[in-house]
Coordinates of all heavy atoms in Angstrom, one line a residue:
Chain S
F689 N 129.5 79.7 81.4 CA 128.6 80.9 81.5 C 128.8 82.0 80.6 O 128.0 82.5 80.0 CB 128.6 81.5 83.0 CG 127.4 80.9 83.8 CD1 127.6 79.9 84.7 CD2 126.2 81.4 83.6 CE1 126.6 79.4 85.5 CE2 125.1 80.9 84.4 CZ 125.4 79.9 85.3
C690 N 130.3 82.1 80.2 CA 130.6 83.1 79.2 C 130.1 82.7 77.9 O 129.4 83.5 77.1 CB 132.1 83.2 79.2 SG 132.7 84.2 77.9
D691 N 130.1 81.4 77.6 CA 129.7 80.9 76.4 C 128.2 81.0 76.3 O 127.5 81.5 75.3 CB 130.0 79.3 76.4 CG 129.6 78.7 75.0 OD1 128.6 78.8 74.5 OD2 130.6 78.1 74.5
Y692 N 127.5 80.7 77.5 CA 126.0 80.8 77.5 C 125.6 82.2 77.4 O 124.5 82.5 76.6 CB 125.6 80.3 78.9 CG 124.2 80.4 79.3 CD1 123.2 79.7 78.7 CD2 123.8 81.4 80.2 CE1 121.8 79.8 79.1 CE2 122.5 81.6 80.6 CZ 121.6 80.7 80.1 OH 120.1 80.9 80.4
V693 N 126.1 83.1 78.0 CA 125.7 84.6 77.9 C 126.0 85.2 76.6 O 125.1 85.9 76.0 CB 126.3 85.3 79.1 CG1 125.9 86.9 78.9 CG2 125.8 84.8 80.4
F694 N 127.3 85.0 76.0 CA 127.7 85.8 74.9 C 127.7 85.1 73.5 O 127.6 85.9 72.5 CB 129.1 86.3 75.3 CG 129.2 87.2 76.4 CD1 129.9 86.9 77.5 CD2 128.5 88.4 76.4 CE1 129.9 87.8 78.6 CE2 128.4 89.4 77.4 CZ 129.2 89.1 78.6
L695 N 127.9 83.8 73.4 CA 128.1 83.3 72.2 C 126.8 82.6 71.5 O 126.0 82.1 72.2 CB 129.2 82.1 72.3 CG 130.6 82.6 72.6 CD1 131.7 81.6 72.5 CD2 131.0 84.0 71.9
R696 N 126.7 82.8 70.2 CA 125.5 82.3 69.5 C 125.9 81.6 68.3 O 126.9 82.0 67.5 CB 124.6 83.6 69.1 CG 124.1 84.3 70.3 CD 123.1 83.7 71.1 NE 122.5 84.4 72.1 CZ 123.0 84.7 73.4 NH1 124.0 84.0 73.8 NH2 122.4 85.5 74.2
D697 N 125.0 80.7 67.8 CA 125.2 80.0 66.6 C 124.9 80.9 65.3 O 125.6 80.9 64.4 CB 124.5 78.7 66.4 CG 125.1 77.5 67.2 OD1 126.2 77.7 67.6 OD2 124.5 76.6 67.5
N698 N 123.8 81.6 65.5 CA 123.4 82.6 64.5 C 123.3 82.0 63.1 O 123.9 82.6 62.1 CB 124.4 83.7 64.5 CG 124.0 85.0 63.7 OD1 122.8 85.1 63.6 ND2 124.9 85.8 63.5
P699 N 122.4 81.0 63.0 CA 122.4 80.3 61.6 C 121.5 81.1 60.7 O 120.6 81.8 60.9 CB 121.7 79.0 61.9 CG 120.9 79.2 63.2 CD 121.6 80.3 63.9
A700 N 121.9 81.0 59.3 CA 121.0 81.4 58.3 C 120.2 80.2 57.8 O 120.7 79.3 57.3 CB 121.8 81.9 57.1
G701 N 118.9 80.3 58.2 CA 118.1 79.1 58.0 C 117.1 78.8 59.1 O 116.8 79.8 59.8
V702 N 116.9 77.5 59.5 CA 116.1 77.3 60.5 C 116.7 77.6 61.9 O 117.9 77.3 62.2 CB 115.6 75.7 60.5 CG1 114.8 75.4 61.7 CG2 114.9 75.4 59.2
H703 N 116.0 78.3 62.7 CA 116.3 78.7 64.0 C 115.3 78.4 65.1 O 114.1 78.8 64.9 CB 116.6 80.3 63.9 CG 117.3 80.8 65.1 ND1 117.0 82.1 65.7 CD2 118.6 80.5 65.7 CE1 117.8 82.3 66.7 NE2 118.7 81.4 66.7
R704 N 115.7 77.9 66.2 CA 114.8 77.7 67.3 C 115.0 78.8 68.3 O 116.2 79.0 68.8 CB 115.0 76.3 68.0 CG 114.7 75.3 66.8 CD 114.0 74.1 67.3 NE 114.2 73.7 68.6 CZ 113.1 73.2 69.5 NH1 112.0 73.2 68.9 NH2 113.5 72.7 70.6
E705 N 114.0 79.5 68.7 CA 114.2 80.7 69.4 C 113.1 81.0 70.5 O 111.9 80.5 70.4 CB 114.2 81.9 68.5 CG 113.1 82.0 67.6 CD 113.4 82.8 66.3 OE1 114.5 82.9 65.9 OE2 112.5 83.2 65.7
L706 N 113.4 81.8 71.6 CA 112.5 82.0 72.7 C 111.7 83.3 72.3 O 112.3 84.3 72.1 CB 113.2 82.1 74.0 CG 113.8 80.8 74.4 CD1 114.8 81.0 75.6 CD2 112.6 79.8 75.1
W707 N 110.3 83.2 72.4 CA 109.5 84.4 72.4 C 108.6 84.4 73.6 O 108.1 83.4 74.0 CB 108.6 84.4 71.2 CG 109.3 84.5 69.8 CD1 110.1 83.5 69.3 CD2 109.3 85.7 68.9 NE1 110.6 84.0 68.0 CE2 110.1 85.4 67.7 CE3 108.7 86.9 69.0 CZ2 110.2 86.2 66.7 CZ3 108.8 87.8 67.9 CH2 109.5 87.4 66.7
F708 N 108.4 85.6 74.2 CA 107.6 85.9 75.3 C 106.3 86.6 75.0 O 106.4 87.6 74.4 CB 108.4 86.7 76.3 CG 107.6 87.0 77.7 CD1 107.1 86.0 78.5 CD2 107.5 88.2 78.1 CE1 106.5 86.2 79.7 CE2 106.8 88.5 79.3 CZ 106.3 87.5 80.1
H709 N 105.2 85.9 75.4 CA 103.9 86.5 75.0 C 103.6 87.6 76.1 O 102.5 87.3 76.8 CB 102.8 85.4 74.9 CG 101.6 85.8 74.0 ND1 100.4 85.1 74.1 CD2 101.4 86.7 73.2 CE1 99.5 85.7 73.4 NE2 100.2 86.7 72.7
E710 N 104.1 88.7 75.9 CA 103.9 89.8 76.9 C 102.6 90.3 76.9 O 101.9 90.5 77.9 CB 105.0 90.9 76.8 CG 105.0 91.6 78.1 CD 105.6 92.9 78.1 OE1 105.7 93.7 77.1 OE2 106.2 93.4 79.0
Q711 N 102.1 90.6 75.8 CA 100.7 91.2 75.8 C 99.6 90.1 75.5 O 98.8 90.2 74.5 CB 100.6 92.2 74.6 CG 101.6 93.5 75.0 CD 101.6 94.3 73.8 OE1 100.6 94.7 73.2 NE2 102.8 94.8 73.5
G712 N 99.8 89.0 76.1 CA 98.9 87.7 75.9 C 98.9 87.1 77.2 O 98.7 87.6 78.3
D713 N 99.1 85.7 77.2 CA 99.1 84.9 78.3 C 100.4 84.8 79.2 O 100.6 84.1 80.1 CB 98.5 83.5 78.1 CG 99.6 82.7 77.2 OD1 100.6 83.2 76.7 OD2 99.4 81.6 77.1
R714 N 101.4 85.6 78.7 CA 102.7 85.8 79.4 C 103.3 84.4 79.6 O 104.0 84.1 80.5 CB 102.5 86.5 80.7 CG 101.9 87.8 80.7 CD 101.9 88.6 82.0 NE 103.2 89.0 82.5 CZ 103.8 89.9 82.0 NH1 103.3 90.8 81.0 NH2 105.0 90.4 82.5
S715 N 103.2 83.5 78.5 CA 103.9 82.4 78.5 C 105.2 82.4 77.5 O 105.2 83.4 76.7 CB 103.0 81.2 77.9 OG 102.6 81.6 76.6

Side-chain angles (χ1 to χ4, degrees):
Chain S
F689 263 98
C690 178
D691 191 307
Y692 171 76
V693 173
F694 294 118
L695 300 186
R696 299 288 186 270
D697 282 345
N698 196 17
V702 175
H703 191 227
R704 302 221 323 140
E705 52 203 23
L706 290 163
W707 292 72
F708 178 55
H709 199 194
E710 197 193 30
Q711 293 171 49
D713 69 346
R714 303 185 72 77
S715 60

